[in-house]
Structure formats: C-alpha cells, structure tokens
Amino acid sequence: MAAIRTKADLLKAIQAERRRLERHLAEINPANFSEPGVCGVWNLKDLLAHLAAWEQTFLCWYADRDAMLNHEEPAEVQTMKAIHRYNAQLYEQYRDWSLDKVLGFFHRSHSQVYAVVEQIPEEDLFIHNRYPWTGRWTLADFIIANTSNHYLWAKNLIIRWKKANIS
C-alpha cells in the first residue's frame, strides 16, 4: 500500500482494507466462526472481537487525549509484552460472547472509529508530538495500526486458516 500522507489517504486505506477483510469473512459459513486455529487458539469470532476491542481502545485514547497530554504512550502498547498481555485480557473479556453480539460489536465499532477519524483535523493526524502520548508515532500511525493494518493482518490470518481448514 502506498504511504498514507493525507486524511483522504487514511480514510481510503481504512475502507479498502475493511472491504477486503469483509469479502473474506463473507465466504465463510457462520458455523465455522467458532473453529479454533485462526490465530493460536482464537477462532474467527475471537479475531473479530479483538479487532473491535482495539478500535474501541483507540477511541478511548483519543477521547482522553487532552487528559493524557503529560503521559507517555498508553500502557497497552509500551512494550510487546504489554501488547501480548492486553491481547490475552481482551480474549478473556470477549471469548464467551455470542457470534451475533461480536458481529454487532465488530460492525458498530468500525462505524464509530471511521466517524471519529473523519472528524479529526488533518493537521492533528500527521504532526509528530501533537499528542505526547503517541510517543514517536503520529496520531495517524495509531489509527492505521488499529484499523487498516489490523484489518490486513486479520485478512491474512483468515486466508491461511481457510486454506488449512476449509475445502
């Protein structure tokens, strides 16, 4: 994917990767969404909850952006160990949810994050140190990590899982 340098590029990337992800999901029988192995022990339902939960995490960070002015990067992303710990916490939090509840969360969360990104002033997206909590990253980098790049990662997991498990 080309470098994302404008808000229009960012919105386009989010929508493009989301469409690609959803095309692959549409090819799978809902009965298969509970089969493990998509990402370790996670099934498709767990993966979708994971994506939505990280979108919601970003939305919380952004909503608290002014209160976080003097803080470092959010604890959830300070180290790879912290990210893995947070992912395990999210898995435990959502693993017992029904498929319908997760699908609603997945679609609602995407709509929410997209609407928020649409409202962010372009200059806030690409300026380093605009928000100290983003560390060496821009706000756009956080958005990309929690949307388009996350969708691409999930899509690739699904492709591998489908090849190995669904004829």
Side-chain angles (χ1 to χ4, degrees), residues 4 36 49 84 107 120 139:
I4 296 174
H84 294 307
H107 294 297
I120 298 172
L139 186 61

Side-chain angles (χ1 to χ4, degrees), residues 31-155:
N32 297 112
F33 274 56
S34 61
E35 293 178 14
V38 175
C39 181
V41 297
W42 296 359
N43 57 37
L44 282 173
K45 180 180 69 74
D46 300 326
L47 181 63
L48 299 182
H50 169 88
L51 295 173
W54 273 102
E55 288 171 339
Q56 292 299 306
T57 299
F58 167 76
L59 291 174
C60 288
W61 294 334
Y62 186 68
D64 291 341
R65 66 193 172 278
D66 293 329
M68 294 170 62
L69 285 178
N70 296 319
H71 293 103
E72 295 180 13
E73 291 177 338
E76 297 89 350
V77 296
Q78 286 184 356
T79 65
M80 284 307 296
K81 186 175 181 178
I83 291 170
H84 294 307
R85 189 172 39 250
Y86 190 58
N87 285 339
Q89 177 186 331
L90 294 175
Y91 171 73
E92 290 299 323
Q93 183 175 349
Y94 297 105
R95 73 181 186 160
D96 293 329
W97 280 23
S98 70
L99 177 58
D100 286 341
K101 188 171 181 178
V102 167
L103 288 173
F105 182 43
F106 176 70
H107 294 297
R108 219 175 19 264
S109 182
H110 173 68
S111 295
Q112 292 168 340
V113 79
Y114 193 84
V116 167
V117 173
E118 283 183 309
Q119 299 303 313
I120 298 172
E122 184 151 6
E123 58 274 11
D124 286 0
L125 292 168
F126 299 99
I127 295 174
H128 285 274
N129 296 318
R130 170 63 180 94
Y131 300 107
W133 60 268
T134 60
R136 66 178 188 249
W137 309 104
T138 65
L139 186 61
D141 293 326
F142 271 78
I143 294 167
I144 292 163
N146 287 285
T147 59
S148 58
N149 281 1
H150 223 180
Y151 306 153
L152 174 62
W153 168 78
K155 179 198 73 171

